[in-house]
């Protein structure tokens, strides 16, 4: 509760301020209203007089132009030219009448109306004479026309021009009168502004008192905010440093603890380069890194830097420093917030080392599998070869069934081994792509021929669709292309119970290369969109029942997709459940004229001088 004297003082100040403000508003309103009225009157007079002057000047110019036309009609000897000039003469007459009608409608003073009456009288007397002159000239009576022109028409024309000059002079005088009124209004406005200035001075005095009180309040609020900032500054767990162009200006207790110093003065007198290792982690000098970050913060408003700090006892620690440009007490400064991240960096380094060790172990396993691929395949080829030889010997029914089962199981196992070894080679980066000349037509024909017998066993129609014009030779890796197509056709036959399987080849010229599309379409079980999204992932099949029913590891398509990528192409699929699937191999291969390489055939195994297809 304020004391009574203070309440009375506040009431009187408020009352005086209100009265002064109302008086000032009344004076301003009166002055603005008066000036608006005078300006409107002046604008009206000046604008109307300007129009009157323009019309009078236009009428005078019309008369002069019309007089010149009369002279041209009188002196002309060409009848056609006289007719043309006469039409112009009539147009000038119409223009003069139009301007006169507008001017008459705007006349308001007796003097203006008197001058217009004189002008009309002269015009009435001049009009017959002008038509007589023109008529005589049109009748080729140039002598009479010239006589009338000199004795009557020209004097009357001069009187008309003089009357119009008088009308123009009258408008100028009215404009001067309007300017005089403007000057008088200016004098009145100036006096009003002087009075207004006096009241404004009184009002400013009152406002100064109120502003002074407000400033006192704001000063108190700023002091409170300063205390809050100082509290946050001193209790912050992160090291906070303030620096300007000359160096450090302040730091909080966490800074002293971070660098192992005792007093603020000791830290403020320590150069920046003494707070870090001479050579930082990025190989740069300490002072260069620090100044680069400070300049960046001044330019962009903020910056960040990794810092190798040195404590007073010589121990080194890792820190992250965030710099922010700000204004403190009207001066631009940089606030640097430092945090010791040594423990976090050590944990990250340990984690990275463990991850790198795991990667190296996985790479070593992949390299091991890739390196022993020959040792794994060789026994399987031996099993296949011996089972083939066994089938060619005399066997009873049960023995032949056992041998056939052995051969079939060995072939399935070899397929699985080949997929696993190829997958391991790709992951280990040891699988290389060849660039040799081959015939794409011969390649797809060989793939189709290889599966004809198997398709007949399942009562499927295996067809090959080729374009009329195909490239004779392309440059690529026919072994890997054949491997992909064999896998696609094998899957198509495996998952199709009735209908057909088609291998379709398309070729399109693309600058200096050929865009190749090898599509394998079947009418088999198909698959949904969810299955398609994970189809080319390693060890993935449609569902668990697929493995039980059809066998396989789910590596074939993953290997085929990766092989396509290594050759700069891609493998895509379109499918719907129950409506079959269409796998397409997209490749871009250059045309070549090199001799064709021999296409890969089925593996062979030499046993005791005999050749056995396996």
């Amino acid at each position: 509760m304020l004391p009574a004297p203070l309440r009375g003082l506040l009431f009187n100040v408020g009352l005086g301020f209100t009265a002064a403000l109302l008086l000032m508003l009344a004076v301003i309103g009166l002055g603005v209203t008066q000036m608006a009225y005078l300006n409107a009157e002046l604008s009206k007079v000046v604008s109307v007089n300007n129009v009157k002057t323009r019309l009078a000047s236009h009428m005078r110019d019309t008369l002069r132009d019309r007089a010149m036309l009369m002279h041209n009609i009188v002196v002309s000897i060409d009848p056609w030219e006289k007719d043309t000039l006469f039409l112009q003469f009539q147009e000038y007459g119409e223009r003069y009448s139009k301007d006169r009608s507008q001017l008459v409608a705007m006349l308001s003073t007796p003097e203006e109306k008197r001058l217009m009456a004189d002008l009309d009288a002269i015009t009435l007397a001049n009009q017959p004479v002008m038509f007589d002159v023109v008529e005589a000239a049109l009748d080729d009576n140039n002598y009479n026309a010239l006589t009338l022109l000199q004795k009557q028409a020209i004097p009357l024309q001069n009187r008309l021009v003089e009357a119009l000059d008088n009308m123009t002079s009258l408008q100028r005088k009215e404009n001067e009168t309007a300017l005089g009124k403007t000057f008088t209004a200016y004098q009145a406005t100036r006096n009003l502004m002087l009075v207004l200035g006096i009241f404004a001075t009184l009002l400013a005095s009152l406002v100064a008192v109120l502003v002074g009180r407000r400033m006192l309040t704001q000063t108190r609020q700023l002091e409170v905010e300063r205390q809050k900032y100082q509290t946050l500054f001193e209790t912050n767990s992160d090291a906070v440093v303030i620096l300007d162009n000359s160096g450090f200006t302040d730091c909080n207790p966490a800074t002293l603890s971070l660098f192992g110093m005792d007093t603020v003065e000791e830290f403020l007198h320590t150069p920046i380069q003494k707070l870090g290792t001479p050579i930082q982690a990025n190989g740069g000098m300490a002072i260069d890194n620090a100044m680069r970050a400070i300049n960046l913060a001044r330019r962009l408003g903020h910056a960040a830097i990794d810092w190798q700090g040195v404590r007073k006892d010589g121990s080194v620690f890792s820190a992250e420093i965030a710099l922010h440009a700000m204004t403190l007490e009207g001066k631009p400064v940089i606030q640097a917030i430092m945090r010791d991240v040594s423990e976090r960096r050590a944990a990250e380094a340990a984690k990275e080392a463990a991850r790198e060790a795991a990667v190296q172990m996985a790479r070593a396993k992949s390299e091991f599998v890739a390196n022993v691929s020959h040792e794994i395949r060789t026994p399987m080829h031996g099993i296949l070869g011996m089972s083939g030889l066994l089938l060619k010997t005399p066997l009873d029914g049960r023995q032949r069934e056992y041998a056939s089962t052995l051969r079939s199981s060995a072939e399935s196992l070899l397929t699985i081994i080949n997929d696993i070894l190829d997958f391991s080679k790709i992951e280990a980066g040891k699988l290389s792509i060849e660039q040799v000349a081959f015939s794409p037509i011969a390649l797809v024909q060989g793939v189709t021929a290889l599966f004809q017998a198997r398709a007949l066993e399942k009562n499927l129609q295996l067809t090959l669709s080729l374009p009329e014009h195909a490239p004779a030779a392309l440059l690529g890796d026919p072994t890997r292309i054949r491997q992909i197509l064999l896998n696609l056709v094998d899957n198509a036959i495996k998952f199709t119970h009735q209908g057909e399987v088609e291998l379709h080849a398309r070729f399109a010229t693309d600058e200096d290369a050929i865009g190749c599309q090898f599509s394998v379409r079947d009418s088999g079980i198909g698959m949904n969109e969810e299955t398609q999204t994970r189809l080319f992932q390693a060890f993935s099949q449609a569902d668990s029942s697929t493995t039980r029913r059809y066998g396989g590891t789910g590596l074939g398509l993953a290997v085929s997709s990766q092989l396509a990528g290594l050759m700069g192409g891609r493998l895509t699929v379109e499918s719907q459940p129950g409506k079959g699937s269409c796998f397409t191999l997209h490749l871009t291969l250059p045309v070549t004229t090199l001799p064709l390489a021999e296409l890969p055939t089925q593996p062979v195994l030499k046993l005791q001088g005999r050749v056995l297809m396996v």
Side-chain angles (χ1 to χ4, degrees):
M1 187 69 179
L2 293 174
L6 184 56
R7 291 201 304 270
L9 178 61
L10 292 177
F11 175 80
N12 292 331
V13 170
L15 183 61
F17 179 82
T18 303
L21 181 60
L22 292 176
L23 183 58
M24 185 176 180
L25 291 176
V27 173
I28 292 175
L30 180 61
V32 170
T33 303
Q34 182 181 0
M35 287 299 297
Y37 173 76
L38 291 175
N39 287 337
E41 290 296 320
L42 177 62
S43 176
K44 178 180 178 182
V45 171
V46 173
S47 61
V48 171
N49 287 344
N50 286 340
V51 174
K52 292 178 182 178
T53 303
R54 180 179 58 81
L55 290 173
S57 299
H58 198 229
M59 291 169 65
R60 181 181 58 191
D61 295 338
T62 301
L63 289 175
R64 289 177 177 172
D65 294 338
R66 199 176 185 194
M68 292 180 63
L69 278 176
M70 283 194 304
H71 282 85
N72 292 335
I73 293 173
V74 170
V75 300
S76 177
I77 61 174
D78 184 3
W80 297 101
E81 185 181 3
K82 286 183 177 183
D83 291 339
T84 302
L85 294 174
F86 177 70
L87 293 176
Q88 295 181 8
F89 179 82
Q90 290 179 328
E91 290 176 1
Y92 280 127
E94 293 176 357
R95 190 172 72 179
Y96 180 87
S97 299
K98 182 178 180 181
D99 291 339
R100 177 193 170 280
S101 299
Q102 294 182 12
L103 183 59
V104 170
M106 300 179 67
L107 298 179
S108 57
T109 64
E111 183 65 17
E112 291 176 337
K113 293 180 180 179
R114 184 187 63 77
L115 289 176
M116 181 54 68
D118 294 341
L119 184 63
D120 290 341
I122 298 172
T123 301
L124 186 62
N126 183 44
Q127 189 170 5
V129 176
M130 295 179 70
F131 276 102
D132 290 341
V133 173
V134 172
E135 184 176 1
L138 293 176
D139 293 338
D140 294 329
N141 192 354
N142 292 343
Y143 178 78
N144 290 338
L146 187 59
T147 302
L148 288 172
L149 183 64
Q150 292 177 349
K151 291 183 178 182
Q152 298 183 27
I154 292 177
L156 291 172
Q157 189 79 12
N158 292 335
R159 288 177 61 191
L160 282 172
V161 172
E162 182 180 0
L164 289 171
D165 288 338
N166 293 336
M167 180 68 72
T168 304
S169 299
L170 179 61
Q171 303 307 323
R172 291 196 185 98
K173 290 179 181 179
E174 290 185 1
N175 282 342
E176 291 175 359
T177 302
L179 291 175
K181 292 181 179 179
T182 303
F183 180 77
T184 303
Y186 165 76
Q187 294 290 342
T189 304
R190 186 182 65 177
N191 295 334
L192 181 61
M193 291 299 104
L194 290 175
V195 175
L196 185 61
I198 296 173
F199 284 99
T201 302
L202 297 175
L203 182 61
S205 300
L206 295 175
V207 171
V209 175
L210 297 176
V211 169
R213 294 177 60 84
R214 181 62 177 169
M215 288 295 296
L216 180 60
T217 303
Q218 290 182 346
T219 302
R220 292 174 179 173
Q221 292 177 350
L222 289 175
E223 180 63 22
V224 173
E225 293 297 328
R226 190 191 69 79
Q227 291 179 357
K228 290 181 180 179
Y229 170 78
Q230 189 69 24
T231 302
L232 292 174
F233 180 75
E234 293 179 354
T235 59
N236 199 326
S237 59
D238 290 332
V240 181
V241 177
I242 306 297
L243 65 153
D244 58 13
N245 294 331
S246 59
F248 299 122
T249 61
D250 199 2
C251 70
N252 66 345
T255 304
L256 302 179
S257 176
L258 180 64
F259 287 95
M261 297 185 181
D262 300 325
T263 63
V264 174
E265 288 73 17
E266 181 183 3
F267 177 83
L268 298 183
H269 290 88
T270 303
I272 294 178
Q273 58 271 25
K274 296 294 185 180
L275 298 176
T277 58
I279 304 298
Q280 291 292 299
N282 61 357
M285 300 293 292
I287 186 63
D288 294 338
N289 285 356
M291 295 309 300
R292 187 182 303 111
I294 291 172
N295 293 331
L296 183 63
R298 287 172 178 163
R299 186 171 68 254
L300 301 180
H302 58 85
I305 182 177
D306 290 331
W307 185 257
Q308 291 293 322
V310 176
R311 296 186 177 90
K312 185 179 178 179
D313 59 4
S315 59
V316 179
F317 64 95
S318 297
E320 291 179 346
I321 304 178
L323 299 98
H324 301 276
M326 55 186 295
T327 301
L328 189 62
E329 297 179 354
K331 294 172 53 179
V333 297
I334 298 295
Q335 175 183 263
I337 302 176
M338 295 178 284
R339 178 174 297 176
D340 188 350
V341 294
S342 300
E343 294 182 0
R344 192 188 74 189
R345 293 282 174 84
E348 291 176 351
K351 183 178 179 180
E352 179 63 22
R355 190 193 68 84
E356 184 64 24
V359 171
Q360 292 292 341
M361 185 178 297
R363 185 179 296 113
K365 288 192 295 184
S366 297
E367 290 180 354
F368 171 78
V369 175
N371 290 331
V372 301
S373 61
H374 178 72
E375 285 74 9
I376 296 176
R377 284 192 178 100
T378 300
M380 288 307 305
H381 289 163
I383 294 172
L384 287 170
M386 294 306 296
S387 62
L389 292 175
L390 182 61
L391 287 172
K392 292 187 177 182
T393 62
L395 301 172
D396 58 25
R398 178 176 296 181
Q399 291 173 335
R400 183 167 298 278
E401 180 181 356
Y402 290 165
S404 298
T405 303
L406 173 64
R407 178 183 175 84
S408 176
S409 300
E411 289 176 347
S412 299
L413 182 57
L414 181 60
T415 300
I416 295 173
I417 291 174
N418 285 335
D419 287 343
I420 294 175
L421 294 178
D422 285 343
F423 184 77
S424 300
K425 275 190 174 183
I426 292 173
E427 284 200 335
K430 291 184 173 294
L431 193 145
S432 59
I433 300 299
E434 296 182 345
Q435 294 293 324
V436 297
F438 71 97
S439 170
I441 300 302
L443 188 147
V444 294
Q445 288 175 343
V447 170
T448 306
L450 189 62
F451 286 97
Q452 286 289 353
R454 183 177 168 193
L456 290 175
E457 290 178 0
K458 295 189 67 174
N459 294 322
L460 299 177
Q461 182 179 0
L462 177 61
T463 59
L464 174 62
S465 177
L466 297 174
E468 294 182 1
H469 303 286
L474 297 176
L475 193 63
D477 191 335
T479 301
R480 296 306 175 184
I481 297 174
R482 182 174 182 270
Q483 180 179 347
I484 295 173
L485 296 181
L486 288 174
N487 184 272
L488 296 180
V489 176
D490 179 67
N491 285 343
I493 295 175
K494 180 192 298 184
F495 296 107
T496 303
H497 303 295
Q498 60 181 359
E500 64 175 350
V501 174
E502 179 187 20
L503 174 58
H504 184 74
R506 292 184 293 272
F507 305 95
T509 303
D510 183 10
E511 296 182 354
D512 296 335
I514 299 295
C516 307
Q517 290 186 359
F518 301 99
S519 300
V520 177
R521 181 182 58 83
D522 63 66
S523 57
I525 61 176
M527 67 194 80
N528 55 31
E529 293 183 1
E530 180 183 357
T531 302
Q532 295 177 40
T533 58
R534 53 186 173 86
L535 191 62
F536 299 117
Q537 299 175 6
F539 309 104
S540 174
Q541 289 190 337
D543 52 46
S544 58
S545 63
T546 303
T547 304
R548 293 193 301 268
R549 184 174 180 182
Y550 297 100
T553 62
L555 272 179
L557 289 177
V559 172
S560 298
S561 179
Q562 293 182 12
L563 288 176
L566 290 175
M567 292 186 289
R570 57 193 175 93
L571 187 61
T572 61
V573 60
E574 297 177 2
S575 180
Q576 292 184 8
K579 296 184 179 180
S581 305
C582 180
F583 288 83
T584 303
L585 173 63
H586 304 265
L587 293 173
T588 301
L589 302 174
V591 180
T592 183
T593 56
L594 296 175
L596 296 179
E598 293 185 4
L599 289 177
T601 59
Q602 289 178 290
V604 297
L605 182 64
K606 292 184 179 180
L607 296 174
Q608 299 177 355
R610 300 171 62 187
V611 178
L612 177 65
M613 302 297 296
V614 296

